[in-house]
Amino acid sequence: EPEVTQTPSHQVTQMGQEVILRCVPISNHLYFYWYRQILGQKVEFLVSFYNNEISEKSEIFDDQFSVERPDGSNFTLKIRSTKLEDSAMYFCASSLGRGDQPQHFGDGTRLSIL
Amino acid sequence: AQSVTQLDSHVSVSEGTPVLLRCNYSSSYSPSLFWYVQHPNKGLQLLLKYTSAATLVKGINGFEAEFKKSETSFHLTKPSAHMSDAAEYFCVVRLGYNTDKLIFGTGTRLQVFP
């Protein structure tokens, strides 16, 4: 069964550094998403992306965050200047369509900011 | 406010006994509801979804859930627990037709004892 893959599984970065989290969505999916889960808290929506542009974003997704689909297969989340509070598990998801189409999640990248 | 509430943070059952994980939602719209499961160090796997068709929804691994509009509930059940069912379970709601943002519950950790 096709799946969403995320790399790396664990990323350790110094505060203030830039970090890029990578995702390969399911190949025929058209909608892409990032969520995060701070330890002990709920999974939170960050952003959705369709047709090479952001379709929706949360209040968390400020100017420090950006997303990109640099080629036909990858979908990336960049954090420009990381803060301690960015430490979390970041999940990428993709879906075939909107609405009732379920979102399929990757295994996540654990980001640790020192 | 539109949200989802999982009533139990932990549920413990013996292998072979029924499982009940409770979820209530609040939504101004006809909701789409999902249950996801997360095994240790793995991503979020879709168990089942409700999208305004049959109110009793069957999912993978013998799980099912019943949408009860009058009770605003979407409880997850399984007749007979297996050791491999031990995991974290998330009830998830999609807010209306114009967004793909998923709202996650806080999760229920299911323990299964031999």
Side-chain angles (χ1 to χ4, degrees), chain A residues 31-42:
Chain A
Y31 295 81
F32 313 111
Y33 314 87
W34 283 100
Y35 291 79
R36 78 173 185 189
Q37 184 180 30
I38 294 171
L39 189 64
Q41 298 185 24
K42 288 185 181 185

Side-chain angles (χ1 to χ4, degrees), chain A residues 31 33 35 37 42-43 45 56 58-59 91 98-108, chain B residues 4 32 34 36 38 42-44 46 49 51 90 94 97-102 104-106:
Chain A
Y31 295 81
Y33 314 87
Y35 291 79
Q37 184 180 30
K42 288 185 181 185
V43 177
F45 170 82
E56 189 175 0
S58 72
E59 318 78 61
F91 292 105
R98 296 195 68 199
D100 297 345
Q101 292 290 332
Q103 295 177 23
H104 297 264
F105 287 78
D107 285 351
Chain B
V4 58
S32 294
F34 309 84
Y36 283 83
Q38 185 180 30
K42 299 294 287 182
L44 297 154
L46 179 69
K49 66 176 184 177
T51 55
F90 293 95
R94 182 177 65 86
Y97 298 110
N98 294 323
T99 176
D100 295 306
K101 173 181 175 179
L102 298 181
F104 282 73
T106 50

Side-chain angles (χ1 to χ4, degrees), chain A residues 18-87:
Chain A
E18 174 183 286
V19 67
I20 297 176
L21 308 183
R22 303 180 192 279
C23 169
V24 178
I26 295 172
S27 62
N28 63 337
H29 284 188
L30 301 175
Y31 295 81
F32 313 111
Y33 314 87
W34 283 100
Y35 291 79
R36 78 173 185 189
Q37 184 180 30
I38 294 171
L39 189 64
Q41 298 185 24
K42 288 185 181 185
V43 177
E44 304 171 287
F45 170 82
L46 292 178
V47 67
S48 60
F49 189 86
Y50 169 71
N51 200 26
N52 275 324
E53 59 183 31
I54 290 173
S55 46
E56 189 175 0
K57 61 183 182 178
S58 72
E59 318 78 61
I60 302 166
F61 195 89
D62 61 22
D63 292 343
Q64 293 297 312
F65 291 88
S66 62
V67 289
E68 191 180 29
R69 190 155 161 80
D71 52 43
S73 59
N74 289 284
F75 179 52
T76 61
L77 174 70
K78 183 194 288 186
I79 309 174
R80 256 179 278 281
S81 179
T82 50
K83 302 188 279 284
L84 292 175
E85 53 264 38
D86 294 326
S87 295

